[in-house]
Amino acid sequence: MSQSTQPVGEALRKRFEAAMMGNHGVPPLALARGEGSLVWDADGNRYLDLIAGIAVSALGHAHPAVVAAVSAQVRQIAHTSNLFVHEPGVLLAEKLRGLLHEQARVFFSNSGTEANEAALKVVRRRQGKGRPVFVAAEHSFHGRTMGALAVTGKESIRAPFEPFGFDVRWVSYGDAAALADAVDDRVAAVFLEPTQGEGGVVPAPPGYLAAARRACDAAGALLVLDEIQSGIGRTGAWFAHQAEGVTPDVLTLAKGLGGGLPIGACIGFGEAGSALAAGDHGSTFGGNPVACAAALAVLNTIESDDLLKNVKAVGETLASGIAAIDHPLLSGVRGSGLWLGAVLTQQQAPQVTTAARQAGFLVNAVQPDVVRLAPPLILTQAEATGFVEALPAILTQVYEQKA
Ligand SMILES: *Cc1c(COP(=O)(O)O)cnc(C)c1O
């Protein structure tokens, strides 16, 4: 126990502010440990984690399967580099092929943005220089590195870092006719999220992905689906595109894949899977054995514990519970599975996030008027109901502050 009168978390935040670059701001809370869907802050206060490190901790915290897999692997060999083959990497690639497509081929990265960088290279290699144009959606998010950022439609984070040297045509997300107009024989690829995550959990209208597939096929462009947030069971399907009956040429994954260990994947289907030749791309840490072992544990546990069923059932409890709340600050809820945006009538999502935290729930203000929920896939019915019951008072606290 600390002898200081200052809370431990407050002291950590001060040291963070002094030692870290300012890009993240200073987060409001220091987390010390977790178990299941619960986390504890540095001062021992407990919270129900309804954001899971931004849709990352798929099995919650300290899941025995991940702990065992990572511990065993780090004892065997923690790192090989890509100068050597290792079995966890091969097993994970084989597992993903089994879930996706027998023709799929996999490149492992450490993060989502790097998975999209690999996708950009796959597209360039496959399409050549005669197709210089990329099509991407307004308000999309594909990552912070310069290639992924070039196709990111969220203007506030892209514009300060222009120019990028990418020729990008922007389309309004969800407008199938505008997309078909934008995709011609100069377009190498269309980048889309099945639901825009950072955009505020905005699902595409039914049929939009299928229309994108048709537009790409008609023009000879590749369809790149960014499932970095929507994949790995988040929506109740293994991958959101599967529920739409659409197969992309390139799929990118990260976030939930490693259950908290850093790993991403760029997956090429058919010919896109063999676009990169030896020497075309690489990553020293990408597909590290420990991260691969964690990801295998995540995928195997989703399967063995029938977690897709849990995602649908508990997601339905959350969504219908929130939809049934009649409150002047709440306009509705959107999304699917355990991935929801509670839409407010006012730009008070940050205040709702603060009030929720004070009430023991971690959520995220993904947009000024949207509160995002992306809890662990193991969230229980009782935990979901606990939040639904607490939400009206949280909303009222914020609403009355304003009045
Ligand atoms: C989070 C996210 C990324 C970027 O992933 P990082 O691991 O933060 O680099 C890219 N695309 C989507 C859809 C995301 O949600």
Side-chain angles (χ1 to χ4, degrees):
M1 280 281 106
S2 165
Q3 297 299 308
S4 150
T5 51
Q6 189 179 43
V8 178
E10 224 13 68
L12 262 179
R13 292 180 69 239
K14 292 227 168 73
R15 286 163 57 197
F16 179 103
E17 185 169 20
M20 305 286 199
M21 284 195 186
N23 58 299
H24 289 118
V26 183
L29 197 64
L31 293 184
R33 69 185 180 93
E35 192 181 322
S37 297
L38 299 173
V39 290
W40 284 262
D41 71 17
D43 292 290
N45 302 304
R46 193 181 83 172
Y47 306 85
L48 181 63
D49 184 4
L50 296 171
I51 189 62
I54 316 189
V56 165
S57 304
L59 302 186
H61 303 278
H63 192 285
V66 174
V67 172
V70 165
S71 310
Q73 188 57 48
V74 85
R75 254 183 249 119
Q76 289 284 329
I77 188 164
H79 178 74
T80 64
S81 84
N82 41 56
L83 298 176
F84 304 97
V85 173
H86 58 78
E87 192 176 23
V90 175
L91 282 172
L92 180 59
E94 289 171 347
K95 182 83 194 169
L96 287 167
R97 295 177 86 177
L99 293 172
L100 282 161
H101 198 285
E102 65 278 11
Q103 306 288 329
R105 308 226 355 225
V106 183
F107 167 82
F108 288 121
S109 63
N110 309 289
S111 66
T113 201
E114 289 170 277
N116 282 332
E117 295 293 329
L120 287 164
K121 275 195 172 178
V122 165
V123 169
R124 269 283 154 82
R125 261 292 186 232
R126 182 89 198 107
Q127 297 285 40
K129 299 196 197 303
R131 288 177 177 264
V133 179
F134 289 87
V135 171
E138 288 163 4
H139 308 296
S140 60
F141 183 79
H142 297 296
R144 302 287 195 153
T145 54
M146 294 302 259
L149 190 56
V151 293
T152 284
K154 204 177 168 193
E155 179 110 22
S156 61
I157 66 171
R158 188 190 70 247
F161 300 100
E162 289 173 342
F164 299 102
F166 281 82
D167 189 350
V168 183
R169 269 179 212 160
W170 301 105
V171 293
S172 167
Y173 184 71
D175 183 339
L179 183 63
D181 278 348
V183 184
D184 59 24
D185 63 5
R186 288 179 52 75
V187 171
V190 175
F191 272 69
L192 286 175
E193 298 158 85
T195 284
Q196 289 192 328
E198 300 311 301
V201 194
V202 182
Y208 182 62
L209 291 188
R213 179 73 272 177
R214 285 194 300 276
C216 287
D217 289 343
L222 299 177
L223 178 62
V224 180
L225 289 183
D226 179 342
E227 291 228 36
I228 288 165
Q229 196 161 153
S230 60
I232 319 295
R234 179 63 43 203
T235 65
W238 270 109
F239 305 98
H241 70 268
Q242 293 174 328
E244 300 283 318
V246 171
T247 306
D249 298 290
V250 181
L251 174 72
T252 54
L253 302 173
K255 292 204 164 85
L257 178 59
L261 276 284
I263 184 167
C266 171
I267 301 170
F269 295 73
E271 288 170 342
S274 42
L276 295 184
D280 274 350
H281 197 45
S283 166
T284 298
F285 291 122
N288 166 284
V290 177
C292 288
L296 268 171
V298 169
L299 299 180
N300 289 332
T301 302
I302 290 175
E303 216 160 49
S304 63
D305 293 4
D306 211 354
L307 289 181
L308 298 184
K309 200 169 135 205
N310 191 64
V311 170
K312 287 183 207 134
V314 179
E316 178 55 30
T317 298
L318 265 183
S320 62
I322 295 169
I325 295 171
D326 180 14
H327 193 282
L329 187 51
L330 185 66
S331 90
V333 61
R334 65 193 177 208
S336 51
L338 284 174
W339 195 29
L340 301 173
V343 185
L344 306 180
T345 54
Q346 296 169 19
Q347 312 251 305
Q348 289 187 297
Q351 292 90 325
V352 170
T353 297
T354 301
R357 187 170 67 245
Q358 287 159 357
F361 301 95
L362 301 187
V363 300
N364 160 250
V366 67
Q367 289 286 318
D369 62 342
V370 185
V371 176
R372 171 170 52 182
L373 307 178
L377 310 185
I378 58 165
L379 192 76
T380 65
Q381 290 285 9
E383 287 166 337
T385 303
F387 175 69
V388 168
E389 286 172 0
L391 185 56
I394 291 166
L395 294 170
T396 294
Q397 192 192 326
V398 172
Y399 193 73
E400 286 179 351
Q401 272 170 10
K402 175 86 184 249

